[in-house]
Amino acid sequence: MCFKFFDCCDGMNKAERAAFERKLLFGFTALTILGYLLEIIAVSTDSWLLFYIEGGLYQNATNTTLIRVYSGLWRICKVSRRVANDPSTQEERCDFHNFFPSKKEIIYDKTMDKQILDYMRTGCAFSIITILLMFLVHLFAVYTIRRPRYTIKRLTALIYLMTAACIVVMNEGFIRTTEYAHEHLPERFPTSANHEYGYSFALSWIVFVFYVCAGLVFLFTSHKRKAKMADSEDDLAVDEPVQLRR
């Protein structure tokens, strides 16, 4: 889909093509700014994973029946009832994930082990890296629109694609966390539960598509202008090498 934008450039003259490329870069920068906001929403909300327990699961430790659970990168929320068939006794509790438990906690807590902690830490670490890269790439993108040097366009494209790669690592880390918990930690992920990924997880993948497309657009518009192809002396000057002199 990203490549269709370039099909309409074939019949354009130099000035029209330059104007079209500038509008294209501006449009995709606006799209990725929207993606930046969506990714902040995705990372900060708890609807990455939802699972429901048909009939509920009685928990001896709390004398309650667990109805459903939803989890994000940072927190996990449990909805339970003191009386299984009485919705009026329903209560919800949210707790932050314990990313750095003590050795004693790892031994006695059946909802975690070293492997799942590694997956969780990876996902959260890359969520922070992703947000920082998103902020950085928009500084380069705005500068590129104002001063379209081909080297800056290529650098911006690279950062866009690096950001998309970080989103993949973050999402795959969450998938591995879910799969590992389902296979090895029944106390964390009851075998009788039906699970599905929530809107936060879907938003993250949508943002991934935005950033891949933006990276490709900046890359394919980063051609160096030769003297006879330049639209003006200013366009030619920005692609000339800078000579440092005393």
Side-chain angles (χ1 to χ4, degrees):
M1 183 179 68
C2 302
F3 301 101
K4 292 182 179 180
F5 289 100
F6 298 98
D7 295 340
C8 58
C9 296
D10 293 338
M12 295 182 178
N13 59 39
K14 293 178 292 184
E16 290 174 340
R17 183 182 179 89
F20 173 76
E21 288 183 359
R22 188 180 293 273
K23 291 178 181 179
L24 194 61
L25 296 180
F26 181 82
F28 271 90
T29 300
L31 183 66
T32 55
I33 290 175
L34 173 62
Y36 180 39
L37 299 177
L38 293 178
E39 189 66 27
I40 291 176
I41 293 172
V43 167
S44 60
T45 51
D46 304 319
S47 294
W48 283 68
L49 179 69
L50 314 170
F51 60 85
Y52 307 88
I53 305 170
E54 188 175 352
L57 177 66
Y58 183 74
Q59 297 180 305
N60 292 323
T62 58
N63 292 322
T64 58
T65 301
L66 184 64
I67 303 299
R68 67 178 182 272
V69 178
Y70 55 97
S71 175
L73 295 175
W74 305 97
R75 297 196 311 171
I76 184 170
C77 299
K78 299 180 179 180
V79 178
S80 57
R81 295 176 184 173
R82 293 189 299 274
V83 180
N85 297 323
D86 187 358
S88 64
T89 63
Q90 184 167 296
E91 56 187 21
E92 180 178 322
R93 178 180 175 181
C94 295
D95 296 303
F96 285 97
H97 296 304
N98 187 0
F99 295 104
F100 301 99
S102 64
K103 292 183 178 179
K104 185 176 180 180
E105 287 177 315
I106 295 176
I107 293 173
Y108 290 102
D109 191 342
K110 296 181 180 180
T111 64
M112 71 172 70
D113 61 14
K114 292 183 178 180
Q115 185 65 47
I116 199 169
L117 285 172
D118 288 339
Y119 286 138
M120 292 166 58
R121 290 168 184 165
T122 299
C124 289
F126 273 89
S127 71
I128 296 173
I129 294 171
T130 298
I131 297 298
L132 293 177
L133 281 177
M134 286 179 169
F135 176 77
L136 178 65
V137 75
H138 289 120
L139 298 180
F140 281 91
V142 172
Y143 180 81
T144 299
I145 294 171
R146 297 187 64 183
R147 298 289 294 173
R149 292 183 67 94
Y150 77 98
T151 52
I152 303 299
K153 285 183 182 179
R154 293 176 185 177
L155 177 59
T156 304
L158 176 62
I159 300 176
Y160 268 126
L161 295 176
M162 287 175 57
T163 304
C166 288
I167 294 175
V168 171
V169 175
M170 176 181 66
N171 292 352
E172 286 296 322
F174 189 81
I175 292 172
R176 295 293 177 268
T177 300
T178 303
E179 292 177 347
Y180 183 85
H182 182 64
E183 295 175 4
H184 300 96
L185 299 173
E187 293 291 331
R188 185 184 186 90
F189 197 140
T191 55
S192 59
N194 299 314
H195 76 279
E196 61 184 27
Y197 292 101
Y199 73 86
S200 302
F201 184 75
L203 280 179
S204 190
W205 280 116
I206 292 172
V207 174
F208 164 76
V209 175
F210 288 175
Y211 276 72
V212 169
C213 289
L216 294 177
V217 167
F218 273 79
L219 182 63
F220 286 111
T221 57
S222 65
H223 49 84
K224 184 176 180 180
R225 299 181 188 276
K226 300 184 183 296
K228 63 180 181 180
M229 296 292 293
D231 303 322
S232 66
E233 293 183 1
D234 291 336
D235 289 338
L236 180 59
V238 296
D239 280 345
E240 288 298 315
V242 178
Q243 297 181 358
L244 299 178
R245 297 179 181 178
R246 293 184 178 180

